[in-house]
């Protein structure tokens, strides 16, 4: 496998963030409104533009990003809104170091916000707000992609299970740190099918002619199998810990393989980019490759660029994450976390 080729395709979706927003909902039997904060940790699936403020080439602050809803680029890796917009990083510090905001740094930002809340609201009100908040995580995918995009020794020195254990260990530490500071309600996504995203299909076509990039699949499968077990363990260990885990992998895979079932015309080729499956992250012509193709109607596509879904896909998943049934979002959906 040529690591340099994979590097050229993959590094476009390594980005991280911490943001806070609020939602309102009515209490049962009451017209009173309460604000429930959302703290968001993770990668470019959720990044609303924080990467604009660090020295990195991995940005989406140029057209055609953002054209559909905002009418201008915001830094979101989509033609419009993200999952996090509709519902209201890597786990390892070493992942794309210097290019993204790692999870440890995001935790330090959370602590700064927590201190600010205590200063402005007082200890008790801040404590109530922190405990009522929802903490959304989209992390892990960059860690597994990263090892194929560099000359990392991990592929030679760690087994699949050992490396997945390291990633999940760091995620666990982050959850426990937030819990220690008062957080109780958490939302998680399973990893998407990394090996079948447009950038990965492009790499596989370059090397073998067709199919998904299956070398990364064992990491994804192990991660997605271990994550629910980890969360169940934490639920037993940490009093008051509640979570929502939504199956992003199956959701996206189903739309990639059966796009017409969900109102799309194309499930595997990106709307914007170049090369096979438009899997080269050249969308916008600002990353060293000026020539790129932009489809006339992104809403017909599952993917907007080489690794990121279109706004329409994000909207569909946000609906599932918010009010999905236990077969897709369990043991709670986000709506249940907010209401309780």
């Amino acid at each position: 496998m040529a690591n340099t080729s994979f590097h050229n395709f993959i590094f476009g979706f390594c980005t991280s963030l911490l943001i806070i927003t609020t939602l309102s909902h009515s209490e049962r039997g009451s017209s009173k409104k309460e604000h429930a904060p959302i703290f968001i940790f993770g990668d470019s699936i959720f990044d609303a533009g924080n990467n604009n403020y660090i020295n990195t080439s991995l940005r989406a602050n140029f057209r055609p990003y953002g054209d559909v809803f905002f009418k201008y680029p915001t830094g979101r890796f989509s033609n419009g809104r993200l999952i996090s917009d509709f519902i209201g990083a890597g786990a390892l510090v070493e992942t794309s170091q210097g290019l993204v905001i790692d999870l440890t740094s995001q935790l330090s930002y959370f602590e700064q916000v927590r201190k600010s809340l205590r200063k402005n609201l007082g200890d008790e009100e801040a404590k109530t707000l922190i405990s009522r908040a929802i903490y959304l995580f989209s992390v892990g995918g960059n860690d597994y992609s990263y090892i194929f995009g560099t000359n990392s020794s991990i592929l030679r020195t760690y087994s699949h299970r050992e490396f997945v254990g390291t990633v999940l260990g760091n995620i666990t530490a982050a959850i426990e740190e937030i819990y220690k500071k008062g957080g109780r309600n958490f939302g998680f996504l399973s990893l998407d099918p990394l090996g079948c995203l447009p950038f990965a299909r492009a790499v596989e076509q370059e090397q073998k002619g067709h199919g998904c990039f299956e070398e990364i699949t064992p990491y994804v499968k192990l991660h997605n199998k271990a994550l629910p077990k980890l969360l169940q363990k934490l639920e037993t260990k940490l009093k008051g810990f509640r979570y929502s885990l939504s199956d992003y992998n199956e959701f996206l895979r189903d739309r990639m393989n059966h796009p017409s079932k969900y109102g799309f015309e194309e499930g595997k080729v990106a709307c914007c980019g170049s090369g096979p499956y438009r899997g080269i992250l050249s969308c916008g012509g600002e990353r060293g490759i000026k020539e790129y193709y932009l489809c006339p109607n992104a809403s017909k596509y599952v993917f907007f660029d080489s690794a990121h879904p279109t706004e329409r896909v994000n909207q569909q998943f946000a609906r599932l994450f918010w009010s999905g049934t236990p077969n897709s979002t369990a043991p709670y959906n986000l709506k249940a976390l907010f209401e309780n």
Side-chain angles (χ1 to χ4, degrees):
M1 181 184 74
N3 277 338
T4 53
S5 295
F6 200 77
H7 179 282
N8 290 337
F9 284 100
I10 201 166
F11 275 175
F13 69 107
C14 296
T15 177
S16 305
L17 78 158
L18 165 62
I19 67 172
I20 178 172
T21 184
T22 61
L23 283 182
S24 298
H25 67 277
S26 298
E27 292 182 325
R28 277 181 198 169
S30 170
S31 60
K32 180 181 176 182
K33 297 279 188 176
E34 284 193 357
H35 291 276
I38 305 176
F39 291 89
I40 301 179
F41 298 80
D43 52 28
S44 54
I45 298 298
F46 282 163
D47 187 1
N50 284 26
N51 255 31
N52 294 347
Y53 303 101
I54 63 174
N55 184 22
T56 178
S57 59
L58 304 178
R59 295 174 178 165
N61 58 346
F62 47 83
R63 292 184 184 279
Y65 291 104
D67 276 357
V68 169
F69 179 78
F70 301 98
K71 308 303 180 186
Y72 64 92
T74 64
R76 290 166 170 82
F77 279 86
S78 176
N79 59 316
R81 290 164 288 182
L82 305 178
I83 296 166
S84 47
D85 292 308
F86 284 107
I87 58 176
L92 307 182
V93 174
E94 295 82 3
T95 299
S96 302
Q97 198 163 19
L99 297 176
V100 302
I101 306 169
D102 62 81
L103 187 54
T104 300
S105 296
Q106 293 182 50
L107 286 171
S108 72
Y109 299 157
F110 170 65
E111 176 59 14
Q112 292 173 32
V113 172
R114 190 177 76 96
K115 287 179 178 178
S116 177
L117 289 171
R118 291 175 64 188
K119 180 180 178 180
N120 289 284
L121 301 177
D123 286 350
E124 284 305 311
E125 191 172 344
K127 182 179 179 181
T128 299
L129 184 147
I130 291 293
S131 66
R132 194 169 62 237
I134 308 295
Y135 300 83
L136 298 186
F137 279 77
S138 174
V139 288
N142 290 345
D143 301 297
Y144 304 119
S145 302
Y146 175 75
I147 61 176
F148 288 96
T150 64
N151 292 318
S152 174
S153 62
I154 290 171
L155 289 170
R156 297 185 297 274
T157 58
Y158 286 88
S159 69
H160 296 151
R161 193 172 299 278
E162 287 171 336
F163 186 64
V164 170
T166 301
V167 173
L168 289 175
N170 279 269
I171 294 173
T172 302
I175 295 168
E176 291 180 333
E177 182 67 18
I178 294 169
Y179 179 88
K180 187 170 70 174
K181 296 180 187 302
R184 293 296 183 268
N185 305 299
F186 295 79
F188 302 89
L189 311 184
S190 65
L191 287 184
D192 52 9
L194 292 172
C196 295
L197 303 188
F199 79 88
R201 288 182 184 275
V203 171
E204 189 69 5
Q205 178 157 319
E206 182 185 68
Q207 296 178 4
K208 297 180 182 178
H210 61 87
C212 300
F213 184 79
E214 296 295 353
E215 292 181 55
I216 201 170
T217 300
Y219 295 94
V220 174
K221 287 184 175 179
L222 281 170
H223 181 103
N224 286 344
K225 185 177 181 180
L227 181 58
K229 294 178 181 178
L230 165 65
L231 295 175
Q232 289 166 10
K233 184 177 179 181
L234 288 173
E235 186 179 34
T236 302
K237 175 183 175 183
L238 305 175
K239 183 179 179 180
F241 173 87
R242 300 188 312 153
Y243 69 92
S244 174
L245 174 60
S246 198
D247 193 349
Y248 191 48
N249 186 286
E250 184 61 29
F251 168 89
L252 206 53
R253 188 181 295 278
D254 208 19
R255 281 155 181 77
M256 291 160 60
N257 294 332
H258 309 285
S260 61
K261 182 179 176 181
Y262 301 97
F264 301 98
E265 293 182 5
E266 177 54 62
K268 297 179 175 67
V269 178
C271 166
C272 187
S274 57
Y277 298 94
R278 298 187 197 117
I280 297 175
L281 193 71
S282 58
C283 185
E286 298 287 337
R287 300 186 184 92
I289 302 175
K290 294 295 182 182
E291 298 293 325
Y292 69 94
Y293 175 86
L294 177 63
C295 70
N297 187 353
S299 67
K300 295 180 179 180
Y301 285 70
V302 171
F303 290 99
F304 183 63
D305 68 11
S306 65
H308 304 96
T310 57
E311 180 187 75
R312 191 172 176 210
V313 171
N314 290 332
Q315 184 176 27
Q316 289 182 3
F317 183 75
R319 190 178 299 118
L320 182 75
F321 204 8
W322 178 255
S323 58
T325 57
N327 65 327
S328 62
T329 306
Y332 300 93
N333 55 36
L334 289 184
K335 184 173 185 285
L337 291 185
F338 275 104
E339 289 179 341
N340 297 316

